[in-house]
Amino acid sequence: MAIARMRKVTILAYEELEAPLFEKLRDAGLMHVTKSTVAGTEEQPEEIHTHAETPEYVKRLSQLAVIKSYFERYNTIKKSFFDMFTGKKPDVSYSRFKNAVDTYDIPGVFDKVKEHDEMLSRITERIADLEQKLQMLEPWRSLDIPLGEVRETRTCDTCLAMVPSVALASDALASPGVHHKVIWQDKGQAGIWLAVFAGETPEGQAANSLLAALGGTRLNLAREVEDYLEAGLVGDICRAIEGRLSELQEKRDTILAKDAEMAQGLLDILALTDYYLDKQNLDRIRKEAGRTRFTLIVEGYVKAKDMDLFRGQLSGFADIEIIDEEPGEAEDVPVYLENHPIIRPFEAVTAIYGYPNYRELDPTPWLAPFFWLFFGLCLGDAIYGIMLSLFSWWFIKTQNLEDERFMRLLMYCGFSTILAGALTGSWFGDFPVQFLKGTVIERITSSMAVLDPVNDPMTLLLVSLAFGIVHIWVGIIVKMVGTIRGGNVVEGIIDHGSWVIFLPGLVLWGLSKAGVIQSGVGLYIMAAGAVLVMISGARNQKSIFMKPISAVGKFYDIVGYFSDVLSYARILALMLASAIIGVVVNTISRLVVDMLGGLGWVVIPVILAFGHLLNLAINALGSFVHSGRLQFVEFFSKFFEGGGTPFRPLRRVKENVSLTD
């Protein structure tokens, strides 16, 4: 239960082994590769730094991004509701992956996608234009004059016009030399065919002045559909346009069908994207290697227990040298947390805050029991705990998670919630009392209760503060142990061990004064601790006159510890919130029965389900956040330095798909 011991590894190889060596390191997945620090190595070749020619993976990734975006119009990878939260990736067999790498014509598909996209864009634009023309011509279908013949002649001006319906009664339309025919009327407007005699010497379009007087507008439909004028009448033109629309839609449907068929290869595109992302990653990592004139130097870290396996994985390379050694004191060694399976889920809590550095204690085993206990107390309902544990167990079994730590953590915290709920008599709040009064279930649940957070909050407050004292005390012990392990024995014993003795002595002395315990041993423990605290305060003070002041002033740290302990009152607050909301939900349900009688029993399940699920969701989140806060702010501040780099061995990129055997 500690931070895994690492070995610093240096691999020396001929430069021509670079590509296969890095691929083998990736497949082995055992080495955390770092930037080479070997003195005397040469600058890497210019092509590695700048890539005068764009690498293949850059071109392919750009093409694949376009193809992926296009295919997703037709095909989406179906994800379950939970997959959206877990980030589960679609499975692709290794044989399909290998076949895609070997045979998929990325440039060809890219060109086809671009061609189809441009064609669809043009077709869509043309269809929209023709549909607009059809919409414009539709009211004029009954016009019995070929549209091309509606024009100005030497002696007569004929046109189509749109005028207000009220203008149809105008005397101007009945004047000599003017003839009109109403083609359509709609919404206060009318479409007319208009003929105006212009005389022997017309000046311009004779109908224009008449339309201006009527408040009408001259239309030039022939200009809008000049490609179809040969069809003759408006109805014939409409049928010609409809025929062209049908052709375009058929062509579009053919392209869409081909695209839908191509889009069935979306999984191949995702797999190929990972393949080229992997090449990009390897290219980035290989730039970290050092080089001499003929030699490649790869540096990194491997877990000490994996060194034999690591050497075995690279045994196929005859002309390489593998050197492993203990990391230096000043080196930033990556950190891998290695805990018992029961403790391992709590690494999720540590990871939220940050990794410890390589040379300090792993806080996970120390925080695990406290986080487990605090979460259970904060949520504090046995039925909620059962639901949380069952849901987490089901989720783990059905979702095939890559990292189960968080869900196992919730499952474990469900157990502590069951325990806390049983001890405080909370089973869906006061459900047994409200609905099962006098039954065996009510008697059993009541018999297990030892605390009542609603009616006796002060007792639970004292229990919460007591847990806080123990939690902080353990944090100081961890700091003392870590300091001693680091070689500073005197500092560990005097500066930190003094408080390890003084604080419990102070508590025991206070309990004896309050009459809770009868022993006076607390006074002697406190006195011994007080002496050590004063020595700690005075030992670094150079002025002999200031030493007594520094010694006494050291006791001011008690104020900080006292304020830290008060933070643990949030355990009571969270438990009260969960319990009271549960009671309110049950009370509302009971009132519904009293008001509606038999009908109320139909509504009750809905109220109970919604109310308690909402209470569980809100307070489970609050329990996790506040239990974590007590670790990060009150506990870690006593000993945790952090700043560690997580151990991330070189592995195949799995950003879009998960490879299966």
Side-chain angles (χ1 to χ4, degrees):
M1 295 192 299
I3 296 172
R5 192 166 67 88
M6 294 287 170
R7 298 289 290 178
K8 182 178 179 181
V9 174
T10 304
I11 302 173
L12 306 175
Y14 290 118
E15 274 200 299
E16 54 264 28
L17 295 177
E18 179 179 357
L21 176 60
F22 273 101
E23 288 177 4
K24 188 63 180 178
L25 290 175
R26 175 202 63 197
D27 294 338
L30 297 172
M31 183 175 182
H32 178 110
V33 180
T34 60
K35 186 175 179 63
S36 177
T37 58
V38 176
T41 56
E42 297 179 347
E43 279 293 317
Q44 296 180 7
E46 183 65 21
E47 64 270 15
I48 294 178
H49 280 300
T50 60
H51 293 289
E53 293 185 7
T54 304
E56 181 193 20
Y57 63 75
V58 174
K59 299 177 184 176
R60 295 292 176 258
L61 285 173
S62 177
Q63 292 172 339
L64 287 166
V66 172
I67 296 171
K68 175 177 176 288
S69 177
Y70 191 78
F71 281 5
E72 285 177 342
R73 301 180 192 176
Y74 305 91
N75 182 24
T76 55
I77 305 299
K78 293 182 179 179
K79 289 187 176 183
S80 69
F81 175 78
F82 294 113
D83 288 346
M84 292 186 288
F85 295 94
T86 62
K88 183 181 178 182
K89 303 172 184 65
D91 293 331
V92 173
S93 67
Y94 184 77
S95 59
R96 179 172 182 175
F97 171 76
K98 190 71 170 61
N99 182 65
V101 171
D102 293 339
T103 64
Y104 201 93
D105 182 13
I106 298 174
V109 174
F110 174 72
D111 291 340
K112 182 65 71 176
V113 162
K114 283 185 61 180
E115 178 188 352
H116 282 195
D117 192 35
E118 291 172 0
M119 290 174 64
L120 287 174
S121 179
R122 290 196 299 269
I123 291 173
T124 301
E125 183 179 339
R126 186 61 180 149
I127 287 176
D129 180 57
L130 291 177
E131 287 177 341
Q132 183 180 6
K133 293 182 187 305
L134 265 182
Q135 185 179 8
M136 178 181 61
L137 292 174
E138 188 63 33
W140 302 94
R141 273 184 181 265
S142 61
L143 182 66
D144 55 1
I145 303 173
L147 196 57
E149 297 299 321
V150 181
R151 56 187 173 80
E152 182 184 10
T153 66
R154 187 172 64 85
T155 59
C156 185
D157 183 14
T158 63
C159 67
L160 300 179
M162 188 167 65
V163 298
S165 296
V166 295
L168 296 177
S170 172
D171 292 339
L173 289 177
S175 61
V178 176
H179 179 71
H180 76 281
K181 181 180 181 181
V182 179
I183 309 300
W184 58 268
Q185 289 191 68
D186 184 40
K187 297 179 180 178
Q189 296 289 323
I192 63 173
W193 171 80
L194 180 65
V196 179
F197 179 69
E200 293 295 332
T201 55
E203 296 181 0
Q205 295 176 324
N208 287 357
S209 58
L210 176 61
L211 289 173
L214 296 174
T217 304
R218 185 187 187 106
L219 303 178
N220 192 347
L221 297 184
R223 184 176 58 192
E224 299 295 333
V225 293
E226 56 186 354
D227 294 338
Y228 298 90
L229 287 179
E230 293 181 0
L233 298 176
V234 173
D236 297 326
I237 293 174
C238 288
R239 283 188 287 275
I241 292 176
E242 288 167 350
R244 180 56 180 157
L245 275 174
S246 179
E247 292 174 5
L248 290 172
Q249 289 165 348
E250 184 177 343
K251 187 175 181 180
R252 182 179 62 182
D253 291 343
T254 300
I255 296 173
L256 293 176
K258 291 179 180 178
D259 286 346
E261 183 179 352
M262 283 197 303
Q264 296 307 307
L266 179 59
L267 266 182
D268 293 330
I269 296 301
L270 296 178
L272 286 167
T273 301
D274 277 359
Y275 174 76
Y276 285 102
L277 283 174
D278 186 67
K279 282 186 171 294
Q280 184 182 52
N281 185 54
L282 282 178
D283 189 56
R284 179 184 61 81
I285 293 294
R286 75 186 182 89
K287 295 176 187 176
E288 305 292 321
R291 287 171 173 78
T292 63
R293 186 174 179 184
F294 302 107
T295 309
L296 178 73
I297 304 170
V298 183
E299 293 184 78
Y301 296 88
V302 176
K303 286 184 280 185
K305 68 176 185 178
D306 290 338
M307 273 308 305
D308 290 340
L309 176 61
F310 180 72
R311 288 181 178 275
Q313 291 282 344
L314 299 184
S315 61
F317 295 92
D319 297 326
I320 68 170
E321 181 69 23
I322 302 174
I323 303 169
D324 68 288
E325 57 188 340
E326 279 296 318
E329 286 294 322
E331 293 178 2
D332 181 17
V333 184
V335 174
Y336 181 81
L337 304 181
E338 201 168 50
N339 292 290
H340 188 278
I342 294 179
I343 301 297
R344 184 163 176 75
F346 293 89
E347 292 173 1
V349 180
T350 303
I352 292 173
Y353 187 80
Y355 277 72
N357 66 61
Y358 181 68
R359 291 171 183 84
E360 70 174 318
L361 290 171
D362 176 11
T364 307
W366 303 92
L367 71 83
F370 291 104
F371 186 91
W372 181 81
L373 182 62
F374 294 163
F375 185 101
L377 288 173
C378 287
L379 190 52
D381 188 282
I383 302 298
Y384 292 174
I386 293 171
M387 293 170 65
L388 189 62
S389 293
L390 288 177
F391 172 77
S392 302
W393 173 82
W394 170 83
F395 200 89
I396 291 169
K397 292 297 182 183
T398 59
Q399 295 303 306
N400 191 26
L401 302 173
E402 292 183 9
D403 187 353
E404 299 179 352
R405 290 182 300 177
F406 180 74
M407 294 310 300
R408 286 197 177 276
L409 173 64
L410 291 183
M411 184 171 69
Y412 292 171
C413 289
F415 299 152
S416 65
T417 304
I418 295 171
L419 178 62
L423 294 178
T424 57
S426 184
W427 303 77
F428 262 167
D430 61 345
F431 185 88
V433 175
Q434 289 275 14
F435 296 96
L436 303 172
K437 189 71 173 177
T439 64
V440 174
I441 295 176
E442 192 270 336
R443 289 195 295 271
I444 292 174
T445 55
S446 298
S447 66
M448 289 188 287
V450 295
L451 290 172
D452 187 348
V454 177
N455 297 313
D456 187 16
M458 287 306 299
T459 300
L460 188 59
L461 175 62
L462 293 175
V463 171
S464 301
L465 298 180
F467 282 133
I469 292 171
V470 175
H471 196 211
I472 291 172
W473 184 61
V474 170
I476 299 172
I477 292 176
V478 175
K479 180 64 176 178
M480 180 183 71
V481 172
T483 304
I484 294 173
R485 284 180 70 231
N488 299 317
V489 179
V490 174
E491 179 184 344
I493 294 175
I494 300 298
D495 290 349
H496 308 299
S498 57
W499 291 102
V500 172
I501 297 172
F502 177 75
L503 289 178
L506 178 63
V507 172
L508 291 173
W509 177 74
L511 291 175
S512 67
K513 286 296 184 180
V516 177
I517 60 174
Q518 302 303 318
S519 174
V521 69
L523 177 63
Y524 301 106
I525 296 174
M526 182 180 68
V531 172
L532 289 175
V533 169
M534 288 189 289
I535 293 173
S536 171
R539 74 186 188 92
N540 292 323
Q541 178 57 253
K542 295 182 179 180
S543 172
I544 192 170
F545 299 105
M546 294 297 295
K547 280 185 180 291
I549 297 175
S550 297
V552 175
K554 188 67 175 176
F555 286 104
Y556 184 75
D557 290 352
I558 295 175
V559 176
Y561 291 129
F562 179 73
S563 64
D564 289 345
V565 169
L566 291 180
S567 294
Y568 291 80
R570 71 182 63 245
I571 296 175
L572 168 65
L574 267 292
M575 177 175 274
L576 282 174
S578 177
I580 291 174
I581 293 174
V583 169
V584 169
V585 171
N586 294 333
T587 302
I588 292 173
S589 301
R590 193 70 200 180
L591 289 173
V592 169
V593 172
D594 293 341
M595 290 187 296
L596 302 180
L599 182 61
W601 291 103
V602 178
V603 182
I604 276 182
V606 177
I607 298 175
L608 291 175
F610 176 79
H612 285 294
L613 283 175
L614 182 63
N615 191 24
L616 170 59
I618 293 173
N619 284 291
L621 177 61
S623 299
F624 188 93
V625 170
H626 288 287
S627 298
R629 183 197 177 281
L630 291 174
Q631 310 302 320
F632 303 149
V633 178
E634 317 302 345
F635 188 56
F636 279 13
S637 62
K638 305 298 179 291
F639 66 91
F640 190 69
E641 295 179 15
T645 301
F647 178 72
R648 293 193 176 98
L650 178 59
R651 287 179 178 156
R652 186 178 293 279
V653 172
K654 296 180 180 178
E655 189 172 303
N656 294 286
V657 298
S658 180
L659 289 182
T660 59
D661 295 333

